[in-house]
Amino acid sequence: MDEGFSSYHNGGPTSLQDFGRLSQTIGTSILKISQNVSSMHKMVNQLGGSTDSQELRNQLHQIQHYTQQLVKDTNVHLRDLATLASNSGSSSPGEQRQRKMQKERLQDEFTSALNNFQAVQRNAASKERELVRKAKASAGLGPPSERKQETLIELQDNRTQKQIQQQQMQEEHNLRMLEDQEANIRKLEIDIQDVNQIFKELGALVHAQGEIVDSIEASVERTEVFVNEGTDQLRMASNYQTKLRKKKCFLLIIGVVVLAILIGIIVWQSN
């Protein structure tokens, strides 16, 4: 898992570059998960068939384990991406919306890949359980008392002690293989439960970040309203000042005219 992404919480160019790098990492991981799921699906279809082998099952378990870890890492990356997307205060509203859309797209793609991964996990577990059951039934692997009775019957059939020992060794080998397969199935079931938990975390993340994004958009909308109201008030104040200046000019003109009349009357009376 890459580190360092969650340390950028202050917005700005560094955070923007980090958001881009992390988005690319997540996208690549989702693509790899989908490719692995496709490979697992082909392997699961071969279980129990003519091409089935222990090597095939080992490969299936390895790719399942690798994909499981990749899913966990991608889930952590998505949480870091959500944090970066919600802490972009210095970004413009357009950039914030673009980040939100990109984050939601990656979350949707990850959810789809996760669904497919869990489906092939369940299919593999179901098929392997059935194969183990059939193998036990066909091998006649029962309690020790039953095996002991079978050995006595074989002795009565004049089989050599060496042949009996070889058969017992083969049965023990088959039993160990079946036990290993059962252990792998239990591990697979635990991985399926882990994927269920990731689904819950992803759902909670989408819900929580949705509320945060809505709050950011609401804040942007409120800011736009305040700006528009402020612009209207400034326009009204400007109109009021213009009217006031016109009124002052008009009163000044009247004052000058009245003063001129008074001066004219005084001069006329003097003469």
Side-chain angles (χ1 to χ4, degrees), residues 51-258:
T51 56
D52 189 7
S53 65
Q54 188 58 42
E55 182 181 0
L56 173 70
R57 299 186 187 193
N58 290 338
Q59 291 178 352
L60 176 60
H61 297 152
Q62 289 174 359
I63 193 173
Q64 195 281 142
H65 176 72
Y66 170 77
T67 308
Q68 182 79 12
Q69 187 59 47
L70 188 58
V71 163
K72 292 180 179 180
D73 292 344
T74 306
N75 185 47
V76 174
H77 288 334
L78 272 173
R79 290 203 301 266
D80 289 341
L81 189 74
T83 301
L84 287 172
S86 61
N87 289 280
S88 54
S90 61
S91 302
S92 66
E95 290 175 340
Q96 291 179 9
R97 291 190 181 93
Q98 185 176 3
R99 287 192 183 192
K100 175 192 172 185
M101 292 175 59
Q102 188 170 4
K103 173 180 67 66
E104 290 178 347
R105 177 181 61 81
L106 290 173
Q107 287 175 340
D108 290 342
E109 292 178 357
F110 181 60
T111 300
S112 177
L114 208 56
N115 273 314
N116 294 333
F117 178 52
Q118 190 177 62
V120 76
Q121 280 182 314
R122 294 183 185 278
N123 191 18
S126 175
K127 210 162 186 179
E128 289 199 52
R129 279 195 296 267
E130 180 63 19
L131 290 173
V132 168
R133 187 191 66 78
K134 288 182 178 179
K136 283 185 175 181
S138 62
L141 297 176
S145 59
E146 294 181 6
R147 293 200 298 270
K148 184 176 180 181
Q149 182 66 26
E150 291 173 359
T151 302
L152 292 175
I153 294 174
E154 290 169 356
L155 285 171
Q156 294 174 358
D157 291 339
N158 297 322
R159 295 188 179 184
T160 65
Q161 185 68 25
K162 184 178 180 180
Q163 289 175 328
I164 295 171
Q165 289 177 349
Q166 289 177 346
Q167 183 176 355
Q168 288 178 339
M169 290 177 62
Q170 183 62 40
E171 288 180 354
E172 291 176 356
H173 174 70
N174 293 339
L175 181 61
R176 285 195 298 269
M177 290 186 62
L178 290 174
E179 289 174 347
D180 290 341
Q181 291 177 10
E182 288 178 329
N184 287 327
I185 292 172
R186 288 193 295 270
K187 177 64 172 63
L188 183 56
E189 290 172 345
I190 293 174
D191 288 344
I192 292 174
Q193 293 176 1
D194 289 343
V195 173
N196 284 335
Q197 182 61 34
I198 291 175
F199 267 119
K200 294 179 182 179
E201 294 176 1
L202 184 61
L205 175 65
V206 171
H207 177 71
Q209 292 299 324
E211 291 181 348
I212 293 174
V213 171
D214 288 343
S215 297
I216 292 174
E217 291 181 346
S219 298
V220 172
E221 291 176 357
R222 286 195 297 268
T223 301
E224 292 177 351
V225 170
F226 292 152
V227 169
N228 292 333
E229 290 179 352
T231 302
D232 293 338
Q233 291 177 356
L234 288 174
R235 188 180 299 110
M236 291 174 60
S238 178
N239 293 335
Y240 177 77
Q241 289 178 348
T242 301
K243 292 179 180 179
L244 184 61
R245 284 196 298 269
K246 289 181 180 179
K247 186 176 181 180
K248 288 180 179 179
C249 292
F250 182 72
L251 292 175
L252 180 61
I253 293 172
I254 293 176
V256 170
V257 172
V258 171

